[in-house]
Amino acid sequence: MSINSNKHWLKQTLEALKCVGYAIVEDVLDDYFLEATRTALYKVQEQIVSGIGAECLNQAGELGVLRFMTRYDSYFFRFLEVPAVLQIIDQTVSNTAILHLQNGFILPSFPGDRSPKVFQNQFHQDFRRVLNGYVASINIFFAIDEFTDNNGATLVVPGSHQKLESLDPEYMQENAIAAVCPAGSMLVFDSTLWHAAGVNTSGQDRLAINHQFTRSYFKQQVDYVRSLSSEVIMAQAPRTQQLLGYYTRLPCNPDEYYRPESERLYRSGQG
């Protein structure tokens, strides 16, 4: 569905999340935004490889994953301000949700079936806790490049969300659907949905950015508040500060605990 031509896109997205566990929303990011994002992703990749080292990254068993992107380029805060993202968060994991992770992907191409076997291209759930239908986590995955059958479009297993038991691997392999969509789209899915990265044999990189948002009382994969300076965080919009976890910090001494209400690290009403 297109966000520009379907005024009911949000309602239909929420229904799809309940029924099949995922939805694709098109026309969210414009061409200018996409081109700027591609440039920023490659620049961040260069900095990560230079700072951490290719050998260390290879030992981590990841394939083209870019973590801590806002440490390298504040451009990526913009994804936390996209109106459609905030609307979905508000209607699923609540308006006090926090960012569990923001990971960029530059998925390289491999000939034939020579793509290395890593966690991300095996079927998995990003949130393994099934809580009787309670939506505690949601993913919003942006297609910076077009997602196609041959460039590694994310594979999703319809209806596999909110299941207590693990699914049979053969069933998932046979029933998975490639989330084919144009650049600028977002793939929204319940984080309990079984999914996997596809295999890229297109001859070109496939670029994407994944966001996972959770209820505020779940620990983040990355402590964005400690990762970033106070100056950087305070320069962001209040809602972005909240998403980064700035309103749900924990006091570590009596002085922090007994601050005036207006200065508390864990603010009231955060879920």
Side-chain angles (χ1 to χ4, degrees):
M1 72 192 82
S2 170
I3 201 169
N4 292 332
S5 60
N6 187 343
K7 64 180 181 180
H8 301 297
W9 72 268
L10 180 58
K11 179 181 178 181
Q12 292 178 8
T13 295
L14 297 176
E15 286 299 314
L17 287 172
K18 293 177 184 178
C19 296
V20 294
Y22 75 97
I24 294 173
V25 184
E26 299 179 3
D27 300 317
V28 181
L29 305 181
D30 61 30
D31 291 341
Y32 177 82
F33 199 130
L34 291 171
E35 193 55 39
T37 301
R38 293 185 186 103
T39 299
L41 283 169
Y42 279 111
K43 286 183 177 179
V44 165
Q45 184 184 49
E46 290 178 6
Q47 294 178 75
I48 290 174
V49 173
S50 175
I52 299 175
E55 183 177 351
C56 181
L57 292 169
N58 290 334
Q59 290 177 349
E62 298 182 331
L63 190 61
V65 183
L66 309 179
R67 301 184 187 275
F68 296 94
M69 294 196 298
T70 50
R71 279 179 64 93
Y72 301 96
D73 192 339
S74 62
Y75 173 84
F76 293 100
F77 287 120
R78 295 183 61 182
F79 284 88
L80 305 181
E81 301 171 355
V82 175
V85 170
L86 300 179
Q87 288 177 276
I88 290 171
I89 294 170
D90 287 350
Q91 295 297 316
T92 53
V93 286
S94 86
N95 59 7
T96 60
I98 59 174
L99 178 68
H100 183 70
L101 61 83
Q102 180 194 60
N103 292 338
F105 291 93
I106 299 180
L107 183 65
S109 176
F110 293 90
D113 58 355
R114 291 170 56 186
S115 178
K117 187 176 182 180
V118 295
F119 173 77
Q120 67 210 61
N121 57 29
Q122 306 304 300
F123 283 103
H124 63 278
Q125 299 165 297
D126 282 356
F127 190 86
R128 300 179 182 179
R129 303 159 193 82
V130 176
L131 306 171
N132 195 29
Y134 180 78
V135 179
S137 179
I138 203 82
N139 283 63
I140 299 180
F141 203 137
F142 280 100
I144 306 305
D145 289 329
E146 180 183 12
F147 280 19
T148 68
D149 286 317
N150 69 345
N151 77 354
T154 301
L155 302 172
V156 296
V157 183
S160 64
H161 62 304
Q162 298 293 338
K163 297 288 191 295
L164 287 172
E165 67 282 353
S166 296
L167 299 186
D168 179 73
E170 291 186 8
Y171 172 87
M172 290 192 284
Q173 194 65 49
E174 293 175 2
N175 291 276
I177 295 174
V180 173
C181 59
S185 303
M186 59 183 180
L187 168 62
V188 185
F189 60 94
D190 185 312
S191 301
T192 64
L193 184 80
W194 288 86
H195 65 284
V199 176
N200 184 2
T201 60
S202 67
Q204 297 179 322
D205 294 337
R206 176 180 67 82
L207 276 58
I209 300 179
N210 184 30
H211 299 80
Q212 183 178 350
F213 300 94
T214 64
R215 303 276 178 169
S216 60
Y217 39 84
F218 288 99
K219 287 185 179 180
Q220 297 162 288
Q221 185 182 88
V222 170
D223 189 337
Y224 287 103
V225 172
R226 286 200 304 137
S227 172
L228 302 165
S229 69
S230 295
E231 291 76 16
V232 169
I233 293 177
M234 294 307 295
Q236 310 309 314
R239 183 65 188 277
T240 300
Q241 294 174 14
Q242 180 189 52
L243 288 171
L244 292 170
Y246 197 68
Y247 298 172
T248 50
R249 293 170 292 162
L250 298 179
C252 66
N253 57 54
D255 287 340
E256 288 187 346
Y257 187 88
Y258 290 108
R259 286 183 180 183
E261 184 175 355
S262 61
E263 299 176 12
R264 287 179 183 171
L265 302 185
Y266 201 116
R267 301 190 184 185
S268 62
Q270 296 304 306

